[in-house]
Amino acid sequence: DSSSTGTLKHLTFDGSNDYVAATTPLQGGTSYAFTISGWVRHSGAGGYLWSQYPNDSTGGRILIGDSGSALYITTGGTEQVRSTSTLTAGNWYHFAFTRLAESWKVYINGSEDDSEASGDNSQLANTAQGLGRREYDPSTTYWTGEVAQFATWNTELSSANVTGLYNSGDKSTDWTTSYSSGMQSYWAMGNKTTQGTDTASTIYDQSGNDNTGTTNGSMSAPTTGHPIFANGDVANTRAVLKTIDAFTS
């Protein structure tokens, strides 16, 4: 609903040395199922958005990459699924990656964007999470952009649930209200403060699982961003605001 606005807080990554680290890894549930979801606004420069990628050949090394116009996910260096919609730099997008056994899916703005039926079917590497870079050899892989409402689950969320995340009101909606089952971590970037108020050094896990993130580099506390519409389109937001202004001036 493009008439529903809200103000989204987010964490900004400079692409140089900014990242968030958490020691508790995402571990898949039954049939190694998991979901990773969040809101991103990228710069188009590419890099690695998230990873569990140890400094060895451990199986299940996983990362979410940004090609500059698409998001993709790899395990053990092999790409599993990639978004097909073109992601325009400067616009906000909601994404979700899901897996159940060998089945992988990627969603963009609440709709399934691509799927692969015979991907990797192994447990994820038991190592620290990194948001904003690849944990192993990160020197050239830092990500530039803004992230908000980032969460992981040890279940495969249904397409209806992913759509529900995307349509969750003004984007400051508490994801634990309707989507807490299987949730392993939830970094709300200042949009929820039940477990603690995020600072320049600490991003609290609002799922209640104590998977608190520690910021690194020159990061600031989550800040208020642009008004966000359900389609994540900043340009559309500005156009609608101009229309409102014309009627009220």
Side-chain angles (χ1 to χ4, degrees):
D1 179 4
S2 62
S3 65
S4 175
T5 64
T7 303
L8 182 68
K9 289 186 177 180
H10 58 264
L11 202 60
T12 300
F13 297 77
D14 65 6
S16 174
N17 60 357
D18 289 351
Y19 71 100
V20 179
T23 57
T24 303
L26 168 63
Q27 289 290 279
T30 303
S31 298
Y32 302 144
F34 68 79
T35 300
I36 304 168
S37 183
W39 282 91
V40 296
R41 184 166 71 147
H42 72 159
S43 67
Y48 294 117
L49 174 61
W50 175 89
S51 73
Q52 280 182 195
Y53 207 91
N55 185 12
D56 56 34
S57 59
T58 302
R61 294 183 299 174
I62 183 171
L63 59 84
I64 296 175
D66 177 354
S67 71
S69 60
L71 295 178
Y72 61 91
I73 195 165
T74 73
T75 57
T78 300
E79 185 173 306
Q80 302 301 326
V81 69
R82 173 185 290 255
S83 63
T84 58
S85 299
T86 299
L87 307 185
T88 303
N91 285 357
W92 279 100
Y93 295 93
H94 178 263
F95 78 90
F97 286 99
T98 69
R99 182 183 77 169
L100 179 63
E102 297 179 351
S103 176
W104 296 74
K105 297 178 182 178
V106 57
Y107 297 81
I108 298 296
N109 287 348
S111 298
E112 184 178 318
D113 204 52
D114 198 15
S115 64
E116 296 294 336
S118 57
D120 179 34
N121 183 23
S122 60
Q123 183 58 284
L124 304 181
N126 187 21
T127 190
Q129 298 183 49
L131 180 63
R133 72 171 191 173
R134 184 175 71 181
E135 285 298 274
Y136 168 54
D137 189 23
S139 58
T140 60
T141 61
Y142 286 94
W143 184 80
T144 306
E146 296 160 358
V147 179
Q149 296 281 69
F150 188 90
T152 64
W153 291 259
N154 65 1
T155 59
E156 179 198 33
L157 291 186
S158 68
S159 59
N161 281 341
V162 173
T163 301
L165 291 174
Y166 168 62
N167 288 327
S168 56
D170 63 0
K171 310 304 177 295
S172 62
T173 299
D174 178 3
W175 284 1
T176 65
T177 301
S178 300
Y179 309 104
S180 62
S181 179
M183 183 179 277
Q184 290 203 324
S185 61
Y186 176 27
W187 298 339
M189 309 307 186
N191 295 296
K192 175 178 167 63
T193 59
T194 302
Q195 303 297 325
T197 300
D198 296 336
T199 67
S201 61
T202 304
I203 305 299
Y204 288 94
D205 177 11
Q206 302 297 335
S207 74
N209 293 323
D210 296 323
N211 195 15
T212 296
T214 301
T215 66
N216 297 266
S218 55
M219 305 191 79
S220 300
T223 57
T224 299
H226 298 285
I228 304 302
F229 284 78
N231 65 1
D233 188 337
V234 175
N236 182 54
T237 299
R238 290 171 178 157
V240 173
L241 290 178
K242 285 181 180 179
T243 302
I244 294 172
D245 182 64
F247 276 105
T248 57
S249 60

